[in-house]
Amino acid sequence: MADLETFRAETRAWLEANCPPEMREPIRDDDDVCWGGRNVKFKNDAQRVWLERMGAKGWTVPEWPAEYGGGGLSRAEAKVLAEEMRRIKARSPLSSFGIWMLGPALLKYGNEAQKKEHLPKIARGEIRWCQGYSEPGAGSDLASLRTSAEDKGDHYLVNGSKVWTSYADKADWIFCLVRTDPAAPKHLGISFLLFDMASPGVSTSPIKLISGSSPFCQTFFDNVQVPKENLMGTAGKGWEIAKYLLTHERDMIGGSDSTGGGQRDSVSNIAKRQIGLDAAILADTALRTDIARHEIDAMAFGLTMERVLAETKSGQGTGALSSMLKYYGTELNKQRMELLMSIRGSDGLTWEGPEPRDGDLARSWLRSRANSIEGGTSEVQLNIIAKRVLDLPGA
Amino acid sequence: MPLILTDDQLMIRDSAEGFFKDEAPVAQHRSLRDTANPDGFSRDVWAKMAEMGFAGVLVPESHGGADMGHVAAGIIMEAMGKNLSAAPMLSTAVLGATAIKHGTPEQQAKYLPLIAQGAHLLALAADEAARHKPNHVATTATPSGNGFRLNGVKGFVVDGGVADTLIVAARTSGEVGDTAGITLFLVDPNAEGVTREARAMVDSRGAARVTLNDVQVDGADVLGEVGGGHAILEKVLDAGRACLAAEMLGVSGTSFAMTVDYLKQREQFGQKIGSFQALQHRAAHLFCEIELARSATLKALQALDEGSDRAPMYVSLAKAKAGDVAILASNEGVQMHGGIGMTDEYDIGFFMKRARAAQETFGDSAFHSDRIARTFGY
């Protein structure tokens, strides 16, 4: 424990000296979040310096091994680092699908050369990744995907199309599910390929959403040549990697959208400011009941995240709970946004106004509707719980 | 404190689950009902619960108790909920012991050892209106001789018919609805002027309507300060509410397990009904809801053990969530069982009845949602 306290003191001193003051301010706009990549446009010098310094220490990925660009920290040390960052309200230096999704799968399934090549670049924010999973004809039934990768000896020839590829137009590389064996049963003919989005034959087209923004693309592959060494794991075993990675994605979506966290203002606080009190009771009593019910579920959900984490640490884990957290967390977040729209009433309908953030609530509300669709729909999560947890028979 | 059971608590859980499954299973509940047992529980099982240390779970060791805390009390109540085990656990071991711990050294020395031994039953006579409203105390206590004279009606006293001592909330000052001016009294139910009208409830447990007509009590029978009963009453009720949440968690657990088993056995249209997505999704949703109720309940029990300022909020969270989930789990249980779920011969209906009774006891989810909203200032 003495070592940990030394580590804390050193970390605190290093953060004090190296975290620019601008990086301790709350995140206000989309461009306050740094995604890195070859074509990164830093909002300011502080953002660049902060990423470079944290990347050099491996603290963008504190628990990854140092030989792959990580911080090589123990779980306990990483916790101290997180606490010390929270203490000074330091922003995360890097947001990255490479860190959240591909990295854990690379560490588990990648070969040595792939780990050495890709992990350090992810850690330093030099390469931005996107995920090639869903296709126009393969949504909830992901395993029916048809993008083909034909074995041409020294390379695969990739043809097909992916959809809902987040930020594909800004990404440098893609991790992509492809069909290498069209004759095999659908789950067994899938492989996991990594390739450069700058490869000839790759094109992207942004998709405009109901929220007005275009975070997703449709991505097309027309005779894209991918070197054989870019196959991750074994040919035909890509589905196993896909599922492993989806578990991480679910935790990310379910967790980040939970209303249990202390980061966001509670629905009731917003309601108090907006609607006001009458004799110490929210002036709209019907809405008050809905809000209280929501906050009960939100608190119980936050406690469930806490319990699941504690059970996992102590080995009491009940397992297969990521689907539960994804399902319930995203449904709660949608409910939160519906309540915020109700609280704001006609003010919440503003799409564009004199202030730069006038349309934010309506856009966030619309964006939230995707929470229970992306990363496996709520219905797919319920299917998984029914099958894996409750062991109910197949249809 | 991590939100999990400690090794000691896991052992208590194993022994409680084994005990109630063997000694007080659902079949015993059915038999108590069918024989119209006047107590509504088995005195034999209660004696064994005392031997196991369950009756004294909240009684300090200095008074012969096991002093295992609220989490342990909740574990015992959950096991009872799973088996629908009837016993004066809530009224005596939880409400009674918590109340007496606020008494004088003499009162503690008199009652606590008897509670731990299972030799004395208590009941909380607080609620007057049909809907729980702890400040709504119209029962009066007027100075008389060296004590007080009580007058009023307590409409819903759980285990009131079997209690050896009643803990009565009466008003020594103020108006109905005030928190100040409520005083708690220890009342002998056989004293002159006390009438108890027993009533069997939908869940086959016992409650009584208690009428107090010029009942003379001694100054030594005041529990806590005169006029300061509200604070004690809240602590007593919160211990009871958290343990009811735990019991309802057990009710949900067995309802759900029975239902999932049934989905795997029952065939219609040439296949197991559990293969139908319409039922799978409802079962999977229910699984999630029960997990949330479990987290909220454990947090409430831990908060009580820690003496946290937020304990009342967490207790209301647990009572509201576990209550709604128990209603959902048992209602869905009956629905998914179909016709057989409506028969008296099949057990699932018992769980629905108990869930409803526990939901209505000491504040339903609407009451506790309101309490939470007030806690957060809205």
Side-chain angles (χ1 to χ4, degrees):
Chain A
M1 287 316 272
D3 287 351
L4 214 53
E5 284 317 301
T6 310
F7 176 76
R8 185 184 295 278
E10 289 168 3
T11 301
R12 185 173 293 189
W14 188 88
L15 287 172
E16 268 316 332
N18 288 281
C19 182
E22 298 93 322
M23 293 295 106
R24 308 180 193 194
E25 299 288 321
I27 288 173
R28 288 197 185 82
D29 291 300
D30 286 350
D31 59 0
D32 283 335
V33 177
C34 177
W35 290 86
R38 283 175 194 147
N39 304 312
V40 62
K41 287 193 192 70
F42 292 107
K43 185 178 186 182
N44 49 40
D45 218 38
Q47 200 180 51
R48 179 184 60 78
V49 164
W50 181 224
L51 173 61
E52 282 174 4
R53 287 175 182 168
M54 286 292 275
K57 290 208 59 109
W59 282 2
T60 49
V61 282
E63 289 183 68
W64 289 10
E67 56 181 316
Y68 303 130
L73 302 187
S74 67
R75 176 62 56 89
E77 288 169 333
K79 193 162 166 265
V80 168
L81 172 61
E83 285 165 1
E84 290 303 316
M85 285 178 67
R86 262 201 304 279
R87 197 182 65 83
I88 61 165
K89 300 192 172 70
R91 286 183 194 168
S92 168
L94 181 62
S95 291
S96 155
F97 296 136
I99 293 175
W100 301 328
M101 294 160 75
L102 178 63
L106 252 176
L107 282 165
K108 189 171 163 77
Y109 295 99
N111 62 34
E112 193 55 29
Q114 288 165 341
K115 291 188 207 175
K116 280 249 157 48
E117 168 63 21
H118 297 298
L119 290 171
K121 291 178 183 171
I122 292 173
R124 294 193 297 264
E126 292 167 5
I127 292 293
R128 183 170 178 177
W129 287 82
C130 65
Q131 178 193 41
Y133 269 36
S134 297
E135 296 182 2
S140 286
D141 182 14
L142 181 59
S144 70
L145 60 93
R146 289 164 67 179
T147 292
S148 65
E150 202 184 332
D151 191 337
K152 293 286 187 185
D154 66 335
H155 68 272
Y156 287 108
L157 194 64
V158 178
N159 278 290
S161 169
K162 293 288 175 182
V163 75
W164 312 127
T165 16
S166 305
Y167 305 115
D169 51 341
K170 298 185 176 72
D172 307 309
W173 276 63
I174 186 167
F175 51 94
C176 194
L177 293 178
V178 294
R179 187 160 301 282
T180 41
D181 185 353
K186 70 177 183 180
H187 291 91
L188 301 178
I190 295 170
S191 300
F192 197 99
L193 274 189
L194 314 173
F195 57 91
D196 195 324
M197 290 291 279
S199 309
V202 178
S203 60
T204 62
S205 165
I207 301 168
K208 189 172 178 184
L209 298 183
I210 52 177
S211 60
S213 69
S214 304
F216 301 113
C217 294
Q218 185 162 1
T219 305
F220 303 91
F221 310 122
D222 181 17
N223 286 325
V224 180
Q225 293 188 18
V226 177
K228 287 289 266 297
E229 64 259 31
N230 288 12
L231 172 73
M232 196 164 111
T234 315
K237 294 278 177 65
W239 186 246
E240 184 188 334
I241 306 175
K243 281 194 298 183
Y244 177 78
L245 201 144
L246 273 173
T247 308
H248 280 270
E249 184 182 6
R250 267 168 214 150
D251 291 348
M252 182 177 90
I253 297 171
S256 66
D257 293 321
S258 86
T259 38
Q263 296 285 321
R264 300 188 304 184
D265 211 352
S266 69
V267 176
S268 59
N269 277 337
I270 295 169
K272 269 191 274 184
R273 286 198 299 272
Q274 200 75 28
I275 298 172
L277 300 178
D278 181 8
I281 297 292
L282 192 70
D284 187 321
T285 52
L287 200 50
R288 174 180 184 261
T289 305
D290 289 349
I291 292 170
R293 298 278 183 176
H294 169 77
E295 294 203 322
I296 284 171
D297 283 342
M299 283 192 286
F301 179 73
L303 291 169
T304 301
M305 302 249 287
E306 187 184 329
R307 181 169 63 85
V308 167
L309 201 66
E311 283 176 352
T312 308
K313 274 188 194 163
S314 76
Q316 289 181 29
T318 33
L321 290 171
S322 80
S323 286
M324 173 182 83
L325 298 179
K326 202 276 177 183
Y327 164 65
Y328 215 102
T330 56
E331 293 296 332
L332 267 178
N333 193 53
K334 289 194 301 179
Q335 191 183 62
R336 173 188 158 91
M337 296 312 298
E338 298 291 345
L339 282 169
L340 292 182
M341 288 299 285
S342 296
I343 289 165
R344 289 287 294 277
S346 59
D347 286 349
L349 302 177
T350 303
W351 189 251
E352 270 168 13
E355 299 299 322
R357 311 214 60 175
D358 268 348
D360 277 12
L361 177 63
R363 288 162 205 268
S364 305
W365 159 62
L366 290 163
R367 174 65 185 85
S368 76
R369 303 310 300 178
N371 294 161
S372 54
I373 299 171
E374 61 203 344
T377 61
S378 281
E379 290 72 19
V380 166
Q381 305 312 320
L382 292 172
N383 286 347
I384 292 171
I385 295 166
K387 191 170 156 193
R388 304 227 186 103
V389 183
L390 306 181
D391 198 26
L392 288 170
Chain B
M1 191 184 293
L3 200 55
I4 44 172
L5 299 181
T6 64
D7 289 345
D8 284 350
Q9 288 163 350
L10 287 169
M11 280 171 59
I12 296 167
R13 185 183 69 183
D14 290 346
S15 86
E17 292 198 341
F19 177 85
F20 290 104
K21 191 162 166 277
D22 293 343
E23 299 287 340
V26 183
Q28 189 191 63
H29 169 78
R30 179 182 291 279
S31 142
L32 286 166
R33 184 200 65 170
D34 290 348
T35 57
N37 181 296
D39 294 331
F41 66 95
S42 156
R43 299 232 174 217
D44 178 46
V45 168
W46 180 238
K48 287 181 183 164
M49 285 172 70
E51 281 169 32
M52 294 286 291
F54 297 165
V57 65
L58 295 179
V59 173
E61 287 178 6
S62 56
H63 289 293
D67 201 14
M68 296 186 285
H70 294 87
V71 174
I75 289 168
I76 295 163
M77 291 287 290
E78 184 185 348
M80 292 174 72
K82 280 186 177 176
N83 295 285
L84 294 179
S85 313
M89 180 77 197
L90 178 73
S91 55
T92 298
V94 178
L95 302 169
T98 305
I100 298 293
K101 281 195 278 187
H102 289 88
T104 61
E106 292 74 22
Q107 287 168 337
Q108 295 191 35
K110 179 178 172 188
Y111 290 104
L112 290 175
L114 292 174
I115 291 173
Q117 291 158 25
H120 196 89
L121 302 180
L122 291 98
L124 180 67
D127 277 328
E128 297 182 3
R131 281 189 63 75
H132 179 64
K133 215 173 182 183
N135 302 341
H136 184 93
V137 175
T139 297
T140 56
T142 45
S144 164
N146 70 340
F148 294 85
R149 180 164 298 189
L150 307 184
N151 279 287
V153 179
K154 296 293 177 180
F156 180 58
V157 182
V158 175
D159 288 338
V162 292
D164 302 306
T165 296
L166 299 170
I167 301 161
V168 175
R171 188 163 290 288
T172 41
S173 64
E175 302 293 323
V176 174
D178 289 353
T179 52
I182 296 171
T183 306
L184 299 183
F185 297 92
L186 297 169
V187 176
D188 176 359
N190 297 313
E192 202 181 326
V194 180
T195 44
R196 295 190 278 180
E197 191 185 321
R199 62 166 159 144
M201 294 191 291
V202 66
D203 63 346
S204 308
R205 308 253 172 129
R209 177 186 173 88
V210 176
T211 306
L212 305 156
N213 187 11
D214 281 338
V215 177
Q216 182 68 35
V217 291
D218 201 79
D221 293 326
V222 172
L223 188 71
E225 299 292 317
V226 172
H230 176 260
I232 302 173
L233 187 58
E234 280 296 303
K235 288 206 185 311
V236 172
L237 286 170
D238 274 341
R241 290 157 174 161
C243 285
L244 276 168
E247 188 190 356
M248 291 190 288
L249 186 61
V251 167
S252 299
T254 301
S255 296
F256 184 59
M258 286 174 74
T259 305
V260 171
D261 279 350
Y262 190 74
L263 294 179
K264 291 175 186 173
Q265 287 162 19
R266 172 75 171 169
E267 290 188 13
Q268 286 288 277
F269 304 104
Q271 52 191 314
K272 308 281 188 212
I273 61 171
S275 66
F276 297 130
Q277 209 174 32
L279 301 184
Q280 287 187 345
H281 282 192
R282 281 159 61 184
H285 174 75
L286 194 48
F287 167 82
C288 299
E289 292 287 7
I290 294 171
E291 290 295 315
L292 261 68
R294 174 170 301 287
S295 314
T297 302
L298 180 56
K299 183 71 181 182
L301 294 163
Q302 284 188 350
L304 287 172
D305 279 338
E306 288 165 2
S308 157
D309 291 346
R310 305 195 79 188
M313 191 279 289
Y314 282 125
V315 167
S316 279
L317 175 66
K319 181 70 168 63
K321 188 66 195 170
D324 282 346
V325 170
I327 299 280
L328 180 69
S330 54
N331 284 352
E332 286 283 72
V334 170
Q335 177 66 24
M336 291 196 224
H337 275 82
I340 199 173
M342 290 300 295
T343 63
D344 184 70
E345 186 188 351
Y346 206 78
D347 288 339
I348 190 82
F350 285 145
F351 289 88
M352 189 163 77
K353 293 170 179 176
R354 182 59 198 148
R356 175 49 68 182
Q359 164 84 314
E360 298 309 324
T361 304
F362 304 148
D364 61 6
S365 60
F367 174 92
H368 288 288
S369 301
D370 177 74
R371 189 172 181 231
I372 285 173
R374 286 174 195 276
T375 306
F376 290 120
Y378 67 97

